[in-house]
Amino acid sequence: METLKDSSSMNSRVNEILSEYGFESHPFLVGWYNDLVSEKFHLNYPPNTSACIIISQPSMYEKAFLPFLQQEFDPKVTRDPIDQCMVHYFSKVKNILSDVEVVSLHDFEVDPRRRPRILVQTAGHVSGAVRYYKPCDVQVEQRNNNFYPVCHHPRWGGWFALRGVLIFPGLEDSTLVRPQPPDLLSSGEAGEMLELYNLHWQDWRWRDVGCPEEKYSLAQIKYFETPPAERFKLIQDYLANNNPSQDESSS
């Protein structure tokens, strides 16, 4: 029977399950998150409830998404393929930790009022995994005060994604120390990242601010640059050229 004694052991176990697929996990407490969001976005759990943010690293595409397409992808499901993939790997954690109550909240999920069920940027910030830069926090000129905030990862720069949160309702931890978000960018660099993200997001330059250790592969960039409606053609081509049963029959 699986036992998780505190947030650290929980997070270690989640990383054991997901790290080989290009994901990383960082723990936080629900109260930390609720302190920074308006009441309508509060998570309805005690403040000391343990949770973790799940981040996809640059290698996720090759380590998780492409294997998912070959083994689990269902083209009849209308949900976006990447979203299907995230549900699959979150479910893997829940299945392995079947003795523990785990609630998953994905970045693409909304409530009946069409509000996000989880604000992943805030969750990433309070966990200390990333820093959440808002226009009011840095030196940046913007027209009509309409710039969206952006997150920076200490290793991946902008080459990552905040995929969702796992909450452990039966695990409360008053000992977890709240970390400070990484502060690696100067105000000017953070302002540059915000400007590139909001005005030139399609050319990917905002992701390079801060000298990331690793970037998306060319195949991954091509996939995300392709309009969603046309991505199924890329998937069909990939599956046609990487069919294990076809390889076996021709060998």
Side-chain angles (χ1 to χ4, degrees):
M1 182 175 179
E2 194 86 37
T3 57
L4 303 174
K5 61 181 181 179
D6 54 26
S7 298
S8 295
S9 63
M10 171 274 292
N11 191 64
S12 295
R13 191 70 180 96
V14 173
N15 272 316
E16 284 176 10
I17 297 168
L18 291 180
S19 62
E20 67 178 289
Y21 305 110
F23 296 97
E24 62 188 68
S25 171
H26 299 264
F28 66 95
L29 299 181
V30 165
W32 302 351
Y33 172 87
N34 286 348
D35 286 344
L36 293 188
V37 300
S38 58
E39 188 174 356
K40 63 186 176 185
F41 292 113
H42 277 190
L43 300 174
N44 191 25
Y45 301 96
N48 286 337
T49 301
S50 294
C52 59
I53 179 78
I54 305 299
I55 292 174
S56 60
Q57 302 170 338
S59 62
M60 179 279 298
Y61 186 82
E62 284 75 20
K63 291 182 176 180
F65 185 56
L66 295 184
F68 167 80
L69 291 180
Q70 287 187 284
Q71 301 163 16
E72 305 288 344
F73 175 61
D74 185 352
K76 298 176 184 177
V77 176
T78 56
R79 177 181 282 153
D80 177 86
I82 286 285
D83 292 349
Q84 286 187 52
C85 177
M86 295 306 111
V87 170
H88 171 74
Y89 286 100
F90 277 46
S91 296
K92 181 181 288 287
V93 176
K94 296 165 80 171
N95 291 337
I96 292 175
L97 302 181
S98 58
D99 295 326
V100 180
E101 183 182 2
V102 185
V103 176
S104 58
L105 300 175
H106 293 274
D107 66 313
F108 53 82
E109 290 183 303
V110 295
D111 67 16
R113 295 188 178 185
R114 306 301 297 172
R115 294 173 182 154
R117 293 187 65 202
I118 185 71
L119 301 178
V120 289
Q121 290 182 315
T122 301
H125 185 84
V126 299
S127 76
V130 299
R131 178 167 284 272
Y132 182 35
Y133 288 104
K134 294 178 286 187
C136 61
D137 297 332
V138 300
Q139 299 173 5
V140 61
E141 293 184 13
Q142 55 177 322
R143 300 173 185 173
N144 304 319
N145 294 318
N146 62 350
F147 274 14
Y148 290 102
V150 65
C151 286
H152 180 265
H153 191 287
R155 293 185 63 194
W156 317 125
W159 299 94
F160 72 98
L162 299 153
R163 295 299 181 180
V165 162
L166 296 175
I167 302 172
F168 295 77
L171 181 61
E172 294 189 37
D173 185 359
S174 61
T175 65
L176 185 64
V177 177
R178 183 170 177 172
Q180 288 297 313
D183 192 14
L184 302 181
L185 302 183
S186 67
S187 181
E189 288 173 322
E192 179 189 14
M193 190 176 192
L194 275 163
E195 184 174 325
L196 290 173
Y197 177 70
N198 281 275
L199 301 180
H200 308 283
W201 61 270
Q202 289 175 307
D203 65 18
W204 302 79
R205 284 183 293 158
W206 69 272
R207 297 182 185 270
D208 282 331
V209 176
C211 299
E213 294 179 19
E214 186 179 341
K215 303 179 183 182
Y216 290 179
S217 65
L218 293 178
Q220 184 169 187
I221 290 174
K222 180 180 179 180
Y223 181 85
F224 286 117
E225 282 184 337
T226 301
E230 299 173 21
R231 290 175 185 172
F232 282 96
K233 177 64 168 60
L234 291 180
I235 291 173
Q236 289 173 345
D237 290 345
Y238 171 76
L239 292 177
N241 293 322
N242 295 273
N243 187 329
S245 60
Q246 190 177 64
D247 294 341
E248 291 171 7
S249 62
S250 61
S251 60

